Amino acid sequence: GQQLNQSPQSMFIQEGEDVSMNCTSSSIFNTWLWYKQDPGEGPVLLIALYKAGELTSNGRLTAQFGITRKDSFLNISASIPSDVGIYFCAGRLTQGGSEKLVFGKGTKLTVNP
Amino acid sequence: DSGVTQTPKHLITATGQRVTLRCSPRSGDLSVYWYQQSLDQGLQFLIHYYNGEERAKGNILERFSAQQFPDLHSELNLSSLELGDSALYFCASSEPDTTYGYTFGSGTRLTVV
């Protein structure tokens, strides 16, 4: 089945540093999504990407939809303590007449003040 | 508030028991997805319902079952509980077109003792 390889698995950074994480797949997706999960809460959508090559920003967050449609990255600039959490990538594809999201295993981010 | 309501928020029960988790999707969403998340792990897809019908099954144990009712709320039934079933259980909902991804509830934390 489809798999998303998300890396790194975890990151420990100092407040103010920039962060980069990415997802790759052997499958082509028509949409890439990035979610953030705060401790003890459900994942919340951060950014959605719909076109190959698309670069989208949301405040300090920037994400890109890879040209090959098989990868995406998320950058966080000038990290702050509230950036702590697990970041998930998700790819959307159509299979067997239905649509579904495939999730990466997450990148756990720790920000030291 | 994401619009997806999960109850209860916390549940503590003994091994061998049976519990029911409830999910009300966001207004207008016909799809409901159930996910299991063990400590610091990724999101394990369990099952997907669309407008009352089962659409896809993931790594769902035979001891687990789900259904979606005519009013579109969904219930996840977990029986013969084991210690390893302790986890966060998330429900997510989406429009038929998953262009905008899934909207997650805040989860039910199940502890089996």
Side-chain angles (χ1 to χ4, degrees):
Chain A
Q2 296 79 20
Q3 273 194 310
L4 290 187
N5 300 308
Q6 186 171 351
S7 64
Q9 276 190 316
S10 60
M11 302 183 74
F12 297 84
I13 63 170
Q14 293 297 125
E15 183 176 357
E17 289 184 1
D18 296 343
V19 170
S20 185
M21 58 192 79
N22 69 82
C23 272
T24 60
S25 174
S26 57
S27 301
I28 290 176
F29 292 102
N30 50 33
T31 302
W32 281 95
L33 305 139
W34 285 91
Y35 287 82
K36 182 195 176 194
Q37 183 182 20
D38 288 330
E41 298 294 327
V44 174
L45 183 64
L46 296 174
I47 289 181
L49 302 154
Y50 301 109
K51 294 181 186 177
E54 179 180 354
L55 186 71
T56 297
S57 293
N58 178 5
R60 294 179 296 106
L61 277 59
T62 302
Q64 183 157 32
F65 191 146
I67 289 290
T68 65
R69 296 168 62 193
K70 294 182 179 181
D71 63 313
S72 176
F73 72 73
L74 174 70
N75 288 340
I76 305 173
S77 63
S79 60
I80 58 178
S82 62
D83 290 333
V84 163
I86 304 176
Y87 292 79
F88 292 100
C89 63
R92 169 177 167 259
L93 54 80
T94 302
Q95 186 179 53
S98 66
E99 297 188 342
K100 69 173 186 179
L101 294 187
V102 179
F103 284 87
K105 293 187 182 301
T107 295
K108 185 175 182 180
L109 178 64
T110 302
V111 179
N112 296 314
Chain B
D1 181 5
S2 68
V4 177
T5 303
Q6 286 189 251
T7 58
K9 196 161 177 63
H10 301 277
L11 197 51
I12 301 175
T13 190
T15 54
Q17 295 297 304
R18 171 189 169 96
V19 297
T20 297
L21 312 184
R22 183 188 168 102
C23 169
S24 293
R26 200 178 53 163
S27 178
D29 287 354
L30 300 181
S31 274
V32 168
Y33 310 83
W34 286 97
Y35 286 83
Q36 180 192 56
Q37 185 180 39
S38 300
L39 187 62
D40 283 351
Q41 297 296 310
L43 296 163
Q44 299 296 320
F45 169 65
L46 296 178
I47 200 164
H48 168 207
Y49 275 84
Y50 175 80
N51 202 21
E53 292 187 4
E54 181 185 302
R55 274 293 178 94
K57 264 186 176 179
N59 300 322
I60 187 167
L61 299 171
E62 286 192 9
R63 300 183 286 109
F64 295 1
S65 66
Q67 57 185 136
Q68 186 180 27
F69 295 87
D71 67 352
L72 300 177
H73 90 271
S74 178
E75 293 180 355
L76 179 67
N77 301 298
L78 315 176
S79 61
S80 302
L81 285 167
E82 303 174 359
L83 295 178
D85 297 327
S86 296
L88 268 168
Y89 290 84
F90 288 106
C91 163
S93 72
S94 75
E95 301 173 13
D97 174 352
T98 58
T99 298
Y100 303 106
Y102 300 170
T103 301
F104 284 84
S106 56
T108 292
R109 180 174 291 282
L110 174 67
T111 303
V112 183
V113 298

